[in-house]
Amino acid sequence: MSSKKRKWLDEYVQYGFTCKEERDGSQRPQCMICNAKLSNSSLAPAKLKEHFLKLHGDGKYKNTTLAEFKVKRARFDEKATLPVLGFVPIDKPILTASYEVAYLIAKQGKPHTIGETLVKPAALKMASIMLGKAAEDKLSQIPLSNDTISSRIDDMSNDILAQVVADLISSPAKFSLQLDETTDVSNLSQLVVFVRYMKDDEIKEDFLFCKPLTTTTKAVDVKKLVDDFFRDNNLSWNMVSAVCSDGAPAMLGRHSGFGALVKSDAQACVGNKNLASKTGRSTKNRS
Ligand SMILES: [Zn+2]
């Protein structure tokens, strides 16, 4: 296979592609319009043209000239070399770290600013003392600003959701909910709902959704937020085995009536116990 690697020709730029070199020296075409990286075997005029016509043929790039694409390529490749110099774009471990930290912050119900004010400085301090300057520099690239954390939490709710919901529906066992509250920088509070469920004989824990809360939000309103979410995602209270609201707003406390509201809908046992205390805390199960 390696003997038959295709080679890039500069004329391919007319199809909106540039050339990316892999670590093993092989070349892959990358579309400058949609950033798609194709395989080495697609490094042929017919394939590149097919991609361009099929995906971008109607768009604003339809009449792009060769000269224009050459300019675009120069800029595109320049951008792509920025990471080498230590600038953007964000690479995958950094992005993953950013998401994982956002998850922890949401999970603990901490204000989103804590990423910037405590988590990052603490991580940098530990890295510089124990691992050295290079490690500190590397960690300093992890975006943990208030905005980042908030948008990560939104992303998580969108991206993971479809998969989690499918898992919940297909799971033979019931799932548990944990309700928490998190506060963003403007002191707006949000209801954050996590779910714990069985998948492939393992307990998994995931972020389910978050919705803004107001000071006038009552138990019945929170119940409605969850109801609406359930309805939109084909879930039902009969699939719920437990609802825990340990760190949740007072409105969900033992005497608030939230538990009674849920009970009237299902046989779910509602407790103030953290889900983790029942099953042994292990966020590692989250994939
Ligand atoms: Zn494309």
Side-chain angles (χ1 to χ4, degrees), residues 103 105-107 109 112 153 178-183 189-194 207-211 213 244 248-249:
Y103 179 82
I105 291 173
K107 184 83 182 58
H112 300 170
I153 290 172
Q178 181 171 338
L179 284 70
D180 269 308
E181 185 185 24
T182 178
T183 315
S189 100
Q190 291 198 306
L191 173 73
V192 192
V193 180
F194 296 92
F207 180 85
L208 202 55
F209 69 93
C210 66
K211 300 269 181 203
L213 292 171
C244 306

Side-chain angles (χ1 to χ4, degrees), residues 15-17 30-36 38 51-52 55-56:
Y15 307 115
F17 279 84
Q30 181 173 20
C31 176
M32 296 185 287
I33 300 164
C34 68
N35 287 326
L38 306 185
H51 174 99
F52 179 76
L55 292 161
H56 315 298

Side-chain angles (χ1 to χ4, degrees), residues 122-139:
L124 293 183
K125 197 60 103 183
M126 287 185 279
S128 94
I129 292 168
M130 302 190 65
L131 302 166
K133 180 92 171 72
E136 184 188 359
D137 288 347
K138 187 128 206 206
L139 288 188

Side-chain angles (χ1 to χ4, degrees), residues 34-203:
C34 68
N35 287 326
K37 245 189 188 181
L38 306 185
S39 66
N40 175 268
S41 61
S42 300
L43 206 42
K47 299 240 171 103
L48 302 180
K49 191 173 179 180
E50 187 192 345
H51 174 99
F52 179 76
L53 290 177
K54 212 164 157 188
L55 292 161
H56 315 298
D58 299 330
K60 60 173 180 165
Y61 295 96
K62 188 171 58 177
N63 298 316
T64 311
T65 64
L66 179 61
E68 283 165 343
F69 267 136
K70 278 184 176 163
V71 171
K72 189 171 172 64
R73 187 183 175 203
R75 288 209 194 108
F76 190 92
D77 288 348
E78 186 187 349
K79 249 190 243 162
T81 60
L82 286 178
V84 179
L85 304 170
F87 298 115
V88 286
I90 299 162
D91 70 19
K92 203 159 173 247
I94 292 177
L95 195 62
T96 307
S98 179
Y99 271 100
E100 289 292 335
V101 172
Y103 179 82
L104 290 172
I105 291 173
K107 184 83 182 58
Q108 293 294 318
K110 300 294 185 202
H112 300 170
T113 46
I114 201 174
E116 215 166 23
T117 57
L118 178 63
V119 176
K120 195 164 178 176
L124 293 183
K125 197 60 103 183
M126 287 185 279
S128 94
I129 292 168
M130 302 190 65
L131 302 166
K133 180 92 171 72
E136 184 188 359
D137 288 347
K138 187 128 206 206
L139 288 188
S140 71
Q141 296 170 41
I142 302 171
L144 292 177
S145 72
N146 177 56
D147 285 350
T148 308
I149 298 298
S150 298
S151 73
R152 293 278 182 270
I153 290 172
D154 282 348
D155 287 353
M156 285 192 283
S157 48
N158 295 330
D159 288 354
I160 302 173
L161 183 63
Q163 182 55 50
V164 173
V165 167
D167 288 344
L168 294 181
I169 291 173
S170 66
S171 170
K174 294 186 173 191
F175 57 85
S176 323
L177 295 178
Q178 181 171 338
L179 284 70
D180 269 308
E181 185 185 24
T182 178
T183 315
D184 69 13
V185 69
S186 41
N187 251 349
L188 291 171
S189 100
Q190 291 198 306
L191 173 73
V192 192
V193 180
F194 296 92
V195 65
R196 189 171 268 245
Y197 59 104
M198 291 292 290
K199 191 192 179 187
D200 304 329
D201 293 328
E202 265 193 90
I203 297 163

